[in-house]
Amino acid sequence: MENVADYREIRELIRTTGGEAFQNCFQCGMCDVVCPWNRVRRFSMRKIVRQAAFGMTEIENEEIWRCTTCGRCPQRCPRDVRQIDSGMALRRLATEYGVFPENVRPVRAVSGNLSTQGNPFGEPREDRAAWAEGLGVPAYEEGMELLYFTGCYFAYDRRLRKVAVATAKLLQKAGVRFGILGEAETCCGESIRKAGDEELFKRLARQNIKAFIDRGVKRVLVNSPHCYHTFRNEYPEFMVHFEVVHVSEYLLELVREGRLELGGGYAGRVTYHDPCYLGRHNGIFDPPRELLRRVPGLELVEMPDTGIDSLCCGGGGGRIWMDTPKAERFSELRVRQALDAGAQVLVTACPYCIANFEDSRLGLDDEQSLEVKDLTEVLAEAL
C-alpha cells in the first residue's frame, strides 16, 4: 500500500510539472519507430511514458535524459501524448531533487554558468560582443530596423563566431540599420528549460525581456533556431510579443527586395540539413533552400531524411552539453548521408548542428572531404 501511494504521488508530481498528457498514451509504439535513438541503440519513449502513467518513473535513470526533443514522436503520435512535455516534467523532478546521472552532470555546471555569466560556457559577460570588434557594429538604439540577437554559441565559440561575422557583413552589405545588445544580451534559456531547470529559464527570459523593453525593441533577428523557437513560442508566456525572424527568412526578404545580391557565385555541390527547431518545430524549410538556389554556380543536392523527416543532429533538449559516446551520435549518421549524397559542403542553420557535424567530420578518413558551413557563411562568400 505504501508503494501505491508513492506511485500516485509521483504521478501527480509529473502532472503538475506539465506532463499530464502522458495519460493519453495507448502504447501504439509509433514514438519508438520514428525515434532517432533507435538507429544507434535501443531506446523506448513508449516505456518512459508508460512508467510515468503508473508513477513508476526512475528519475535517477539516464533514459529520461536521452530525448533530444527533436519533435519526431509528437509529429507522428495519434493521441497527442506530447512526449516532449512529459519528458521535461520528468527532468524537472530530477532537477528539483538534484538527481543527475554521470553523463548528465555537465548540465549542473552549465546551470551555474548561466546563472552567473548569462551563457553556458561561463565566459565573461563583458566579452559577449568581442566577435564584433573592428566590424563597426553599433549598440542597438530605438528606431533601428532590427536587433541582431547574436546568441551564446555565435558570441563565444571560436568556430561559430565566424557565423556572427558573416551575418553582420551580409546585413551591412544590404544597408540594414541594426544593432546588438552586447553584454546586456543573455542566453535565451531554451535548452536549459528542456533540461529541466524551469526557474533558471524564467530568470534568463525576464532579463532578455527587460533588455528588449528598455531599448524599445520591435523586431529581433536570430541565427539560432533555439532562440527563434523560444522568442516566438515561449516568451509570449510572459505576456510580451516581439516580432522574431530567422536569418534565413530575413536574408531572403532582402534578396527579393533587391537590397542584397548574391551574384559572386559559389562553386561546389552543397546539401542542406534541416535543424529540428527551425524545420519540424517551426515550419521553416524553404527559405534556406531558396537562398542557396539563388547562388550562381551552387549545386544543391538532397540527403535522405530531409524536410519534416530530417534526422536530428543530437544536440537538442540540452544534449549538446551531455556526454554521448561516438557510436551513439546521430551526427555520425548525418555526415555519412551527406557524403553519400555526393556533397562537398554540408550546410545548416543551427549552432548545435554545426558543432556536432564538425566533431563528426573530424572522424572521417579524409577530414577535408566534407566542409561544414552555416548558411550565412556560404551566402557571405557568394557576395
Side-chain angles (χ1 to χ4, degrees):
M1 293 298 290
E2 291 180 358
N3 286 339
V4 171
D6 290 343
Y7 297 154
R8 286 175 179 169
E9 180 181 357
I10 292 174
R11 186 170 61 181
E12 186 58 32
L13 283 170
I14 294 171
R15 282 177 175 168
T16 58
T17 50
E20 66 275 2
F22 67 81
Q23 61 192 353
N24 298 336
C25 179
F26 66 169
Q27 293 290 292
C28 71
M30 183 58 70
C31 52
D32 289 354
V33 172
V34 299
C35 181
W37 274 111
N38 287 301
R39 296 193 181 196
V40 295
R41 55 160 293 144
R42 292 186 63 183
F43 172 70
S44 178
M45 177 58 75
R46 178 197 60 78
K47 180 180 178 181
I48 290 174
V49 171
R50 188 64 167 174
Q51 288 176 331
F54 288 103
M56 300 175 68
T57 299
E58 301 174 1
I59 63 170
E60 71 279 3
N61 195 310
E62 188 178 348
E63 295 301 284
I64 69 169
W65 298 94
R66 288 199 179 278
C67 177
T68 63
T69 67
C70 73
R72 287 285 276 145
C73 52
Q75 167 202 352
R76 301 293 290 273
C77 179
R79 295 292 294 272
D80 193 26
V81 172
R82 304 180 189 177
Q83 290 88 345
I84 293 175
D85 291 346
S86 298
M88 287 170 56
L90 295 174
R91 293 176 181 185
R92 286 173 190 164
L93 282 177
T95 299
E96 181 181 343
Y97 287 102
V99 179
F100 297 94
E102 183 177 355
N103 289 347
V104 181
R105 287 175 190 167
V107 172
R108 292 188 298 186
V110 167
S111 294
N113 292 337
L114 288 169
S115 296
T116 57
Q117 296 294 343
N119 68 82
F121 311 107
E123 295 292 332
R125 183 182 285 274
E126 57 269 24
D127 290 346
R128 196 166 185 105
W131 67 269
E133 290 179 2
L135 295 178
V137 177
Y140 180 84
E141 294 180 357
E142 188 169 1
M144 287 182 168
E145 288 184 63
L146 51 78
L147 166 70
Y148 174 35
F149 188 94
T150 314
C152 299
Y153 272 78
F154 299 117
Y156 290 108
D157 183 89
R158 182 174 297 179
R159 161 66 183 91
L160 289 165
R161 279 182 172 182
K162 297 177 182 178
V163 177
V165 171
T167 302
K169 289 182 176 179
L170 288 164
L171 296 176
Q172 291 171 334
K173 185 72 173 179
V176 178
R177 291 186 64 244
F178 73 99
I180 58 176
L181 292 178
E183 62 182 272
E185 180 180 295
T186 298
C187 178
C188 72
E190 186 274 331
S191 289
I192 201 64
R193 186 183 215 188
K194 301 302 185 298
D197 200 331
E198 182 70 8
E199 291 307 310
L200 179 53
F201 163 73
K202 291 178 179 177
R203 292 204 303 273
L204 297 170
R206 291 188 182 107
Q207 289 177 37
N208 278 322
I209 290 169
K210 184 179 186 303
F212 293 172
I213 293 174
D214 288 349
R215 290 162 179 78
V217 173
K218 303 297 183 184
R219 198 178 198 195
V220 183
L221 176 73
V222 296
N223 291 94
S224 171
H226 297 271
C227 296
Y228 180 87
H229 179 84
T230 307
F231 294 156
R232 183 172 185 261
N233 303 310
E234 300 184 356
Y235 276 26
E237 296 173 18
F238 298 87
M239 305 305 293
V240 293
H241 298 277
F242 307 98
E243 182 185 359
V244 57
V245 60
H246 186 260
V247 69
S248 63
E249 298 176 298
Y250 189 66
L251 292 178
L252 183 57
E253 180 183 318
L254 295 176
V255 169
R256 287 173 173 172
E257 292 174 354
R259 297 175 65 183
L260 184 66
E261 296 182 4
L262 304 173
Y266 188 93
R269 185 179 295 114
V270 169
T271 191
Y272 175 73
H273 165 79
D274 295 279
C276 299
Y277 273 80
L278 188 62
R280 194 156 38 243
H281 281 284
N282 287 289
I284 300 178
F285 300 105
D286 295 333
R289 289 178 170 83
E290 183 172 342
L291 283 167
L292 291 171
R293 290 191 181 102
R294 285 174 177 262
V295 176
L298 187 151
E299 180 186 355
L300 181 63
V301 297
E302 294 285 5
M303 297 178 282
D305 304 309
T306 59
I308 197 72
D309 297 318
S310 182
L311 177 62
C312 176
C313 80
R319 290 292 312 183
I320 191 70
W321 303 318
M322 303 178 201
D323 295 329
T324 305
K326 182 179 175 63
E328 297 180 3
R329 296 175 185 172
F330 311 155
S331 55
E332 300 286 320
L333 303 179
R334 199 54 159 168
V335 164
R336 287 294 172 186
Q337 285 183 331
L339 288 172
D340 291 344
Q344 298 164 306
V345 185
L346 173 56
V347 175
T348 188
C350 172
Y352 299 167
C353 296
I354 292 175
N356 283 336
F357 294 155
E358 287 283 17
D359 283 346
S360 293
R361 182 183 70 87
L362 295 176
L364 300 175
D365 294 335
D366 178 4
E367 67 182 44
Q368 299 302 318
S369 63
L370 183 71
E371 291 183 276
V372 176
K373 292 190 176 183
D374 185 83
L375 175 68
T376 57
E377 293 179 293
V378 173
L379 299 181
E381 291 182 40
L383 287 177

